């Protein structure tokens, strides 16, 4: 039992819909926390409005409330559950902390006699109120940048006059750097000050003297009620001060910090945590360090909660910060808890890393037309990837291979920038591709001193880049036949992919693969064990690397591989890689359920993914976790090592689906729907032919591969025309065009971005109603799990539409057509598992827009609305362990559930916010209503008219 025996029922506040600055890392933390509480027999009550996450699965808490995150909802829950003893708000990001403060100010916790655990209100207020934080730091002798708090334009002007430019404006009580900006000149000041005051809920900003070019570090701390403090991880930002940590390339452990300065930083962090309140839990502290020999340290901020970096630090070290922070919040002490990986050492034992991790953010600027793509104090990334390697270079390469932006790693793919002035400009104004631009600059011969002068990136990192460049130049002197083993091994140890080496040698990827296999240069797998192999790990969490062969005294030659292969039946589940618009946390939900279902069927489960924010990459979800890029070379090596019975691709979104062709070509068993069927549905032309054969209506269409073909087709189809590329996600590149000029411009643009793509041109059904259905099929029977009607008209991407379950305005004739078409298509595609079909309804006739024989974005929403584990059922069907008729389907929903998209436009000023066929939302919430008379529904439906005007 926990030390505090008074705690029997705990309310946990989630973080709500995914927005830029607060993503699924908090769902990962919250999920861990719920599991941690339940281990101790504590009843858990959760409030979170996000239907896409595993956190709001009914299995995660004793009571899950999918309600808006408001004090009204908190009061409703506290009335329903008078037994609640305490609230834990530190797992739900800034949203949960702000809600906790509001509830405290309104006296709600006091009225219901609810105790706050994991943090205290004073700590939140001190750390969020920039002026209070500054005063506290001065009191405890921790240096901070010269700064002043202002609440009006006039005060701001006076401070600017006193400090001089450049300045930093930071808004109080915001997340993801909202309202923050650099001010370099007087003429920018008024606008940016106004923006900061507006963004702050208390209309207060802190104006700092800018520490441009200083190095930035973060420490993750835990403290117990005995005032024991442990530091879990040090993280260094490769980018200097001036770029939000969420947009920075980060490295763990810290690389360029002297031990003496690191010890000073540790002492300061511990002192800061002890000064902000008497609570037990987690904390994140950020520092700036001067880039000179003095290494002066300045405190930037402290967050008394698990942070964005806590998820990264947990995955980097194998130490589950949120889980242990929760144990400390309910009264345990660090020395009483066991290390979750070794099971033999104490949680008070600080992790040691014998590898390097590199995190690279993932952006989606192409979704925000006209957006400012330069990086600064306001976070703009929508996701992130993490690479683990034995060196910085290997980890950096693995992270770049994980991004899924059609790059094979750093350089060696013919896609780098070649223009000197463009490279210099890109170095000065950092954007999404700067990790590659640095390499391009070195390749062009720009001196490291010049690159350092522009970017202020530490010379150590730049020299690491330069070494890679020298190695590439050396390899280019050889051919595939003449390249010797030591050089090939060095290239693999430094993370170069076979594809990159093939590019250098001007040969095929398969030739490089065969050569290294013949030379016995094979991947080996190492454990993430928290203790640099000092103690045995009980949890199989692996990364890959390459090692030189070892020869024993008796002449045996081997390389050490820590991943032992069992003789059990195995299933590999491919994850969805980094979050992005169009493919988010909903696929993490599907992967977790897929893993658990395969486990229930008696398989050893293996997860492959590279996203540090997700529950699917938690070390104890699957039997084995490979934290590796969802990139062909890495996956194929794991498959060869593990020899699974099959691979599940239909739960990891488009990322996993795109690998189906290669898996099929290499004779690897795809579990569920075959590659032929997946390809048929993705190829717009072939799919329309299938519809024709089954007498299913679809908008008039044609396939074009050139602008000429598209223009000829437009004569037959009539405008408006919807242009859609094949094999894309989130409506990428989709556009409605209304004349030949627009059509030509868009087709030329698309084919330059996605060469050799087949474009489908549909006659756009103007003013049609859009609907979609999800179903489970076993090849014989089809069960429709849900039919949804979109409130917005056809032409707005389904991910950006408010969708109601069940439909609110479709007659029986239309519903029957939808059911009939769904069954026909699912069977015609030989679907085994899940399928999602989208429809356009015009004049009571149902047309097919598209079909996706995989888990869709809407499956978690339907599962939460109806209270049914549909992914579990579908996985068992895929594995052949059950037929559709074996399940006792019993959906429960009174009234309607509405899936509401959430946008992050506030991060991008002056962008086109108009909705269309390309998805722009970053997350979603769920709203339950009793009837269509509900005001919320009426307001949503009234807005529909704005999309229908000609």
């Amino acid at each position: 039992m926990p030390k505090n025996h008074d705690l029997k029922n705990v309310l946990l506040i989630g973080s709500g819909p995914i927005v830029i600055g607060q993503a699924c890392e908090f769902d990962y933390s919250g999920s861990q926390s719920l599991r941690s509480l339940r281990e101790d027999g504590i009843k858990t009550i959760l409030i979170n409005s996000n239907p896409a996450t595993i956190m709001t699965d009914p299995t995660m808490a004793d009571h899950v409330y999918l309600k808006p995150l408001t004090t009204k909802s908190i009061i409703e829950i506290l009335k329903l559950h008078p037994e609640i003893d305490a609230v834990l708000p530190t797992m739900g990001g800034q949203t949960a902390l702000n809600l906790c403060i509001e509830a405290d100010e309104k006296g709600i916790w006091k009225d219901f006699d609810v105790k706050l655990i994991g943090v205290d209100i004073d700590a939140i207020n001190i750390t969020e109120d920039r002026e209070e934080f500054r005063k506290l730091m001065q009191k405890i002798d921790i240096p901070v940048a010269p700064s002043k708090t202002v609440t009006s334009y006039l005060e701001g002007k006076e401070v600017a006059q006193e400090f001089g430019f450049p300045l930093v404006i930071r808004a109080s009580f915001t997340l993801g750097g909202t309202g923050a900006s650099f001010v370099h000149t007087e003429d920018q000041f008024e606008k940016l000050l106004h923006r900061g005051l507006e963004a702050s809920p208390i209309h207060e900003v802190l104006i700092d003297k800018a520490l441009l070019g200083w190095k930035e570090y973060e420490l993750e701390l835990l403290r117990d009620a005995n005032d024991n403090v442990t530091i879990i991880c040090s993280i260094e930002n490769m980018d200097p001060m001036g770029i939000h940590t969420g947009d920075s390339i980060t490295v763990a452990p810290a690389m360029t910090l002297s031990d003496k300065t690191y010890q000073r930083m540790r002492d300061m962090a511990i002192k800061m945590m002890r000064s902000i309140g008497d609570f037990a839990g987690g904390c994140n502290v950020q520092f700036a360090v001067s880039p000179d020999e003095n290494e002066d340290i300045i405190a930037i901020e402290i967050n008394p909660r698990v942070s964005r970096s806590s998820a990264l630090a947990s995955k980097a070290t194998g130490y589950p910060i949120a889980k242990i922070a929760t144990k400390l919040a309910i009264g345990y002490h660090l020395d009483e808890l066991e290390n979750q990986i070794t099971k033999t050492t104490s949680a008070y034992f600080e992790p040691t890393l014998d590898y390097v991790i590199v995190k690279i953010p993932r952006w989606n600027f192409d979704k925000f037309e006209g957006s400012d793509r330069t990086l600064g104090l306001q976070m703009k990334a929508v996701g992130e990837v993490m690479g683990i390697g034995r060196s910085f270079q290997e980890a950096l390469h693995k992270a770049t291979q994980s991004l899924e932006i059609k790059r094979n790693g750093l350089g060696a793919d013919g896609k780098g920038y070649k223009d000197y002035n463009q490279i210099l400009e890109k170095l000065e104004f950092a954007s999404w591709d700067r990790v590659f631009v640095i390499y391009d600059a070195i390749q062009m011969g720009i001196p490291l001193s010049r690159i350092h002068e522009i970017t202020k990136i530490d010379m150590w990192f730049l020299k690491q880049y330069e070494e890679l460049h020298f190695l590439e130049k050396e390899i280019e002197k050889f051919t595939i036949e003449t390249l010797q083993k030591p050089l090939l091994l060095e290239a693999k140890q430094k993370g170069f992919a076979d594809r990159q080496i093939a590019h250098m040698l001007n040969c095929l990827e398969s030739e490089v693969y065969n050569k290294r296999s013949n030379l016995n240069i094979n991947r080996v797998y190492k454990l993430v064990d928290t203790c640099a192999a000092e103690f045995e790990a009980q949890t199989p969490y692996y990364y890959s690397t390459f090692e030189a062969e070892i020869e024993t005294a008796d002449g045996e030659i081997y390389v050490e591989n820590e991943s032992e292969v069992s003789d059990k039946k195995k299933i590999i589940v491919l994850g969805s890689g980094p979050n992005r618009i169009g493919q988010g946390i909903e696929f993490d939900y599907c992967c977790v359920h897929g893993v658990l279902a395969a486990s229930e069927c008696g398989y050893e489960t293996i997860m492959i993914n590279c996203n540090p924010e997700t529950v699917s990459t938690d070390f104890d979800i699957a039997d084995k976790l490979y934290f590796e890029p969802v990139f062909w070379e890495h996956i194929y090596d794991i498959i060869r090592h593990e020899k699974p019975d099959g691979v599940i691709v239909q739960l990891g979104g488009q990322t996993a689906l795109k690998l189906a062709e290669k898996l099929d070509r290499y004779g690897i068993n795809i579990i569920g729907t075959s590659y032929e069927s997946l390809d048929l549905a993705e190829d717009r032309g072939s799919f329309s032919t299938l519809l024709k054969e089954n007498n299913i209506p679809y908008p008039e269409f044609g396939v074009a591969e050139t602008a000429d073909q598209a223009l000829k087709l437009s004569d037959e189809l009539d405008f408006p025309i919807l242009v859609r590329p094949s094999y894309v996600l989130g409506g990428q590149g989709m556009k409605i065009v209304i004349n030949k000029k627009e059509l030509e411009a868009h087709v030329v643009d698309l084919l330059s971005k996605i060469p050799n793509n087949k474009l489908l041109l549909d006659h756009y059904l103007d003013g049609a109603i859009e609907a979609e259905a999800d179903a489970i099929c076993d090849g014989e029977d089809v069960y429709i799990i849900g039919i949804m009607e979109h409130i917005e008209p056809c032409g707005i991407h389904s991910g950006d539409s408010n969708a109601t379950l069940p439909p609110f305005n479709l007659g029986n004739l239309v519903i029957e057509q939808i059911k009939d078409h769904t069954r026909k298509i699912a069977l015609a595609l030989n679907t085994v598992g899940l399928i999602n079909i989208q429809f356009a309804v015009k004049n009571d006739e149902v047309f097919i827009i598209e079909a996706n024989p995989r888990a869709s974005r809407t499956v978690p929403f339907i599962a939460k609305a109806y209270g049914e584990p549909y992914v579990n059922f579908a996985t068992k069907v895929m594995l052949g362990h059950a037929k559709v008729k074996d399940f006792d389907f019993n959906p429960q929903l009174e009234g309607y559930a509405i899936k509401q998209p959430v946008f992050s436009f506030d991060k991008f000023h002056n962008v086109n916010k108009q909705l269309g066929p390309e998805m722009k939302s970053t997350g979603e919430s769920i709203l339950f209503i009793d009837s269509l008379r509900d005001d919320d529904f009426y307001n949503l439906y009234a807005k529909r008219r704005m999309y229908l005007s000609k």
Side-chain angles (χ1 to χ4, degrees):
M1 286 297 287
K3 288 293 170 197
N4 188 344
H5 297 288
D6 297 336
L7 298 178
K8 303 274 194 299
N9 300 275
V10 171
L11 170 67
L12 192 136
I13 305 175
S15 57
I18 303 297
V19 290
I20 290 175
Q22 185 174 272
C24 54
E25 62 273 0
F26 295 106
D27 289 303
Y28 161 69
S29 301
S31 300
Q32 265 206 349
S33 181
L34 289 167
R35 288 163 67 202
S36 185
L37 290 167
R38 293 176 93 182
E39 273 178 8
D40 278 289
I42 290 174
K43 289 271 192 303
T44 51
I45 298 92
L46 168 69
I47 175 172
N48 197 3
S49 56
N50 189 339
T53 158
I54 195 75
M55 185 191 190
T56 52
D57 199 65
T59 58
M60 292 301 294
D62 294 288
H63 302 280
V64 176
Y65 289 95
L66 284 152
K67 285 178 170 289
L69 290 164
T70 61
T71 51
K72 184 185 170 194
S73 299
I74 295 281
I75 291 166
E76 283 173 27
I77 292 167
L78 293 175
K79 281 179 178 172
L80 281 168
H81 295 278
E83 71 276 14
I84 289 174
D85 305 305
V87 59
L88 182 60
T90 53
M91 302 293 158
Q94 198 67 40
T95 297
L97 281 189
N98 286 355
L99 181 58
C100 178
I101 291 169
E102 190 186 337
D104 184 70
E105 285 169 354
K106 291 178 178 175
I108 294 168
W109 307 131
K110 200 173 176 187
D111 291 349
F112 288 89
D113 195 23
V114 172
K115 186 182 170 190
L116 188 62
I117 57 171
V119 71
D120 56 41
I121 291 290
D122 289 344
I124 301 171
N125 284 327
I126 284 170
T127 55
E128 293 291 343
D129 186 316
R130 304 284 182 181
E131 180 61 18
E132 289 302 312
F133 172 70
R134 189 178 67 82
K135 284 179 187 167
L136 177 67
M137 293 303 101
Q138 284 177 336
K139 187 177 162 190
I140 61 171
D141 293 327
I142 302 278
V144 289
S147 60
K148 281 193 180 171
T149 306
V150 304
T151 53
S152 74
Y153 175 66
L154 199 62
E155 281 181 302
K157 263 189 111 169
E158 286 169 3
V159 172
Q161 194 172 307
E162 183 187 336
F163 286 175
F165 297 99
L167 296 169
V168 178
I169 293 174
R170 300 178 202 275
S172 294
F173 291 91
T174 61
L175 60 93
T178 300
S181 48
F182 267 114
V183 189
H184 293 278
T185 58
E186 199 174 336
D187 55 342
Q188 301 171 309
F189 185 68
E190 187 173 342
K191 185 175 88 173
L192 297 173
L193 176 62
H194 181 71
R195 186 185 292 171
L197 289 168
E198 280 289 306
S200 168
I202 59 168
H203 305 300
E204 173 190 280
V205 299
L206 185 76
I207 299 179
D208 289 3
K209 184 75 181 150
L211 299 171
L212 287 175
W214 283 45
K215 289 152 68 164
E216 192 164 4
Y217 295 87
E218 293 180 72
L219 296 182
E220 294 291 330
L221 291 78
L222 287 171
R223 178 176 68 170
D224 66 21
N226 265 358
D227 213 18
N228 295 315
V229 181
T230 183
I231 291 172
I232 307 305
C233 192
S234 64
I235 300 172
E236 176 167 0
N237 291 8
M238 192 175 97
D239 304 285
M241 286 285 289
I243 293 177
H244 191 282
T245 53
D247 277 351
S248 292
I249 296 157
T250 61
V251 186
M255 291 279 144
T256 70
L257 200 58
S258 68
D259 185 58
K260 188 176 156 194
T261 306
Y262 176 56
Q263 296 307 327
R264 274 168 52 219
M265 190 182 281
R266 283 175 62 99
D267 293 345
M268 286 164 77
I270 292 168
K271 192 175 183 183
M272 285 165 72
M273 188 173 187
R274 285 177 171 156
S275 73
I276 61 170
D278 189 22
F279 64 92
C283 213
N284 163 272
V285 192
Q286 290 171 30
F287 294 101
V289 174
S290 65
D292 53 25
E293 285 178 9
N294 291 343
E295 290 192 314
D296 295 324
I297 306 175
I298 276 180
I300 303 168
E301 64 180 26
I302 181 166
N303 294 305
R305 56 172 168 84
V306 296
S307 68
R308 184 182 306 102
S309 311
S310 307
L312 179 75
S314 295
K315 300 295 167 67
T317 58
Y319 189 110
I321 292 171
K323 188 175 187 179
I324 301 299
T326 303
K327 297 282 190 209
L328 303 181
I330 59 174
Y332 281 106
H333 298 149
L334 280 161
D335 51 354
E336 296 170 330
L337 297 167
E338 66 177 17
N339 179 303
Q340 301 290 301
I341 292 243
T342 63
K343 305 287 185 186
T344 53
T345 55
S346 151
Y348 201 12
F349 191 92
E350 292 191 357
T352 311
L353 276 58
D354 55 356
Y355 50 82
V356 179
I357 77 107
V358 171
K359 174 212 91 179
I360 303 179
R362 175 70 159 78
W363 292 271
N364 250 147
F365 287 122
D366 51 334
K367 297 285 183 184
F368 300 101
E369 220 173 297
S371 61
D372 173 12
R373 297 184 175 213
T374 53
L375 305 178
L377 295 173
Q378 259 192 180
M379 184 174 165
K380 295 176 180 178
V382 292
E384 64 190 35
V385 296
M386 184 179 103
I388 312 179
R390 273 289 159 101
S391 65
F392 168 72
Q393 292 162 330
E394 185 180 29
L396 180 68
H397 259 132
K398 284 168 88 172
T400 53
Q401 286 153 11
S402 302
L403 285 168
E404 291 179 56
I405 53 171
K406 299 188 173 69
R407 298 298 299 259
N408 299 324
L410 284 179
D413 60 3
K415 292 180 180 175
Y417 292 103
K418 304 278 192 298
D419 182 280
Y420 175 76
N421 291 323
Q422 187 182 21
I423 289 172
L424 284 186
E425 188 185 352
K426 281 189 159 289
L427 287 175
E428 189 175 349
F429 302 102
S431 189
W432 64 274
D433 53 1
R434 73 191 179 289
V435 67
F436 303 101
V437 174
I438 296 163
Y439 197 75
D440 298 339
I442 292 169
Q443 281 193 308
M444 180 159 273
I446 298 170
L448 293 196
S449 56
R450 178 87 170 106
I451 299 170
H452 171 72
E453 182 193 323
I454 298 169
T455 63
K456 302 290 188 284
I457 290 171
D458 192 278
M459 203 54 122
W460 184 86
F461 292 113
L462 298 179
K463 284 189 169 143
Q464 295 286 306
Y465 267 89
E466 188 180 51
E467 274 181 28
L468 291 173
H469 164 65
F470 289 152
L471 181 58
E472 183 181 339
K473 287 282 143 243
E474 186 62 26
I475 291 170
E476 281 176 350
K477 294 174 185 172
F478 297 87
T479 64
I480 186 69
E481 291 79 21
T482 60
L483 185 68
Q484 296 299 301
K485 183 173 179 176
L487 205 53
L488 182 54
L489 176 62
E490 187 185 350
K492 294 309 292 179
Q493 286 180 323
K494 291 191 171 178
F496 279 111
D498 290 349
R499 278 182 209 170
Q500 291 174 288
I501 297 167
H503 182 86
M504 297 172 207
L505 298 171
N506 200 17
C507 67
L508 298 172
E509 180 185 0
S510 54
E511 291 179 87
V512 177
Y513 183 81
N514 293 335
K515 171 132 189 171
R516 71 174 173 86
S517 295
N518 294 335
L519 292 171
N520 199 28
I521 300 174
N522 294 312
R523 272 193 171 78
V524 291
Y525 297 97
K526 300 291 179 186
L527 274 160
V528 172
D529 59 11
T530 76
C531 57
E534 215 171 303
F535 300 93
E536 193 177 338
Q538 306 293 317
T539 309
Y541 169 15
Y542 302 101
Y543 67 96
S544 73
T545 191
F546 288 86
E547 288 194 343
E549 290 163 335
I550 302 164
E551 187 171 350
T552 60
D554 54 5
E556 186 198 348
I557 292 174
Y558 76 103
V559 284
E560 190 187 26
N561 195 333
E562 294 176 3
S563 171
E564 291 177 17
V565 177
S566 75
D567 54 6
K568 294 177 189 166
K569 297 184 302 172
K570 303 180 193 69
I571 291 293
I572 286 178
V573 176
L574 292 185
S576 57
N579 278 18
R580 69 213 86 154
I581 292 173
Q583 184 174 288
I585 192 175
E586 60 279 357
F587 295 107
D588 177 55
Y589 167 92
C590 294
C591 286
V592 171
H593 269 293
V595 163
L596 299 177
S599 190
E600 285 170 27
C601 293
Y603 289 95
E604 180 180 325
T605 55
I606 298 164
M607 184 75 215
I608 306 175
N609 204 0
C610 55
N611 186 340
E613 303 178 278
T614 61
V615 177
S616 65
T617 53
D618 210 347
F619 62 78
D620 58 356
I621 292 291
D623 294 313
K624 274 181 149 178
L625 165 66
Y626 286 94
F627 206 106
E628 290 285 282
V630 188
F631 183 82
W632 172 250
E633 180 184 321
H634 295 270
I635 286 158
Y636 187 51
D637 280 350
I638 295 167
I639 290 168
R640 283 185 70 216
H641 178 63
E642 290 286 354
K643 300 179 178 59
D645 288 32
V647 178
I648 294 178
V649 298
Q650 60 172 276
L651 300 176
Q654 203 72 21
T655 295
L657 215 62
K658 279 179 180 169
L659 290 160
E661 183 192 0
K662 273 257 172 105
L663 292 167
D664 184 65
R665 201 189 316 151
Y666 280 76
I668 295 153
N669 182 31
I670 294 172
I671 299 292
T673 308
S674 69
Y675 165 68
E676 288 79 15
S677 295
L678 297 171
D679 186 54
L680 178 58
E682 285 287 339
D683 187 314
R684 309 285 186 187
S686 307
F687 177 61
S688 300
T689 307
L690 176 142
L691 296 176
K692 200 174 199 172
E693 287 166 0
N694 284 276
N695 297 318
I696 297 172
Y698 52 88
E700 281 185 67
F701 83 99
V703 179
E705 294 183 32
T706 65
D708 263 348
Q709 288 173 10
L711 289 167
K712 277 179 193 148
L713 262 176
S714 68
D715 292 332
E716 299 164 32
L717 293 176
D718 287 342
F719 290 99
I721 289 171
L722 175 62
V723 183
R724 297 188 281 171
S726 296
Y727 298 97
V728 297
L729 61 90
Q732 183 195 334
M734 287 191 195
K735 193 170 185 179
I736 297 163
V737 293
I738 59 167
N739 57 42
K740 285 193 172 186
K741 188 181 171 189
E742 272 190 18
L743 175 66
E744 183 182 325
H746 187 56
V747 168
V748 168
D749 181 51
L750 265 185
L751 291 174
S752 69
K753 287 177 182 166
I754 320 173
N756 308 318
N757 200 292
K758 284 184 181 175
L759 305 179
L760 187 74
L761 275 63
D762 289 357
H763 171 63
Y764 170 60
L765 297 168
D766 203 8
I769 294 169
E770 191 165 341
E772 59 185 303
D774 282 281
I776 301 172
C777 178
D778 59 15
E780 296 163 15
D781 292 313
V782 179
Y783 177 78
I784 296 172
I785 65 173
I787 298 172
M788 284 162 294
E789 180 182 354
H790 296 183
I791 292 176
E792 287 78 8
C794 193
I796 305 297
H797 191 279
S798 58
D800 286 353
S801 299
N802 286 277
T804 61
L805 182 77
F808 62 90
N809 195 26
L810 302 178
N812 287 340
L813 172 68
V814 168
I815 296 285
E816 285 310 310
Q817 286 179 71
I818 287 173
K819 287 178 178 175
D820 188 46
H821 295 343
T822 302
R823 289 193 184 100
K824 273 188 183 172
I825 292 168
L827 294 169
L829 283 171
N830 300 313
T831 306
V832 180
L834 289 156
I835 185 166
N836 167 270
I837 304 174
Q838 290 170 29
F839 309 94
V841 182
K842 192 158 187 182
N843 303 328
D844 280 351
E845 189 174 5
V846 177
F847 297 86
I848 306 300
I849 301 174
E850 65 178 21
N852 293 302
R854 60 169 170 84
S856 74
R857 188 177 301 104
T858 44
V859 167
F861 165 75
I862 298 169
K864 303 290 172 61
Y866 282 144
E868 293 266 80
Y870 292 126
V871 179
N872 180 293
F873 296 163
T875 305
K876 287 172 180 171
V877 166
M878 283 186 246
L879 292 166
H881 276 248
K883 291 285 190 183
V884 164
K885 58 175 173 283
D886 296 334
F887 298 108
D888 180 21
F889 293 104
N890 184 26
Q892 301 288 317
L893 174 62
E894 289 176 22
Y896 296 84
I898 304 176
K899 178 181 77 69
Q900 297 187 285
V902 174
F903 301 88
S904 296
F905 289 130
D906 59 330
K907 298 288 178 188
F908 302 99
H909 303 282
N910 311 320
V911 302
N912 178 9
K913 298 180 176 66
Q914 201 175 342
L915 302 182
E918 186 152 353
M919 185 171 164
K920 293 178 179 177
S921 62
T922 52
E924 63 191 51
S925 61
I926 191 169
L927 175 70
F928 291 98
I929 58 170
D930 295 328
S931 79
L932 299 177
R933 293 192 183 99
D934 189 286
D935 285 348
D936 288 316
F937 176 79
Y938 187 81
N939 292 337
L940 288 171
Y941 195 70
K943 283 182 190 169
R944 166 188 165 84
R945 296 190 192 108
M946 69 189 250
Y947 298 108
L948 291 173
S949 57
K950 283 277 185 184

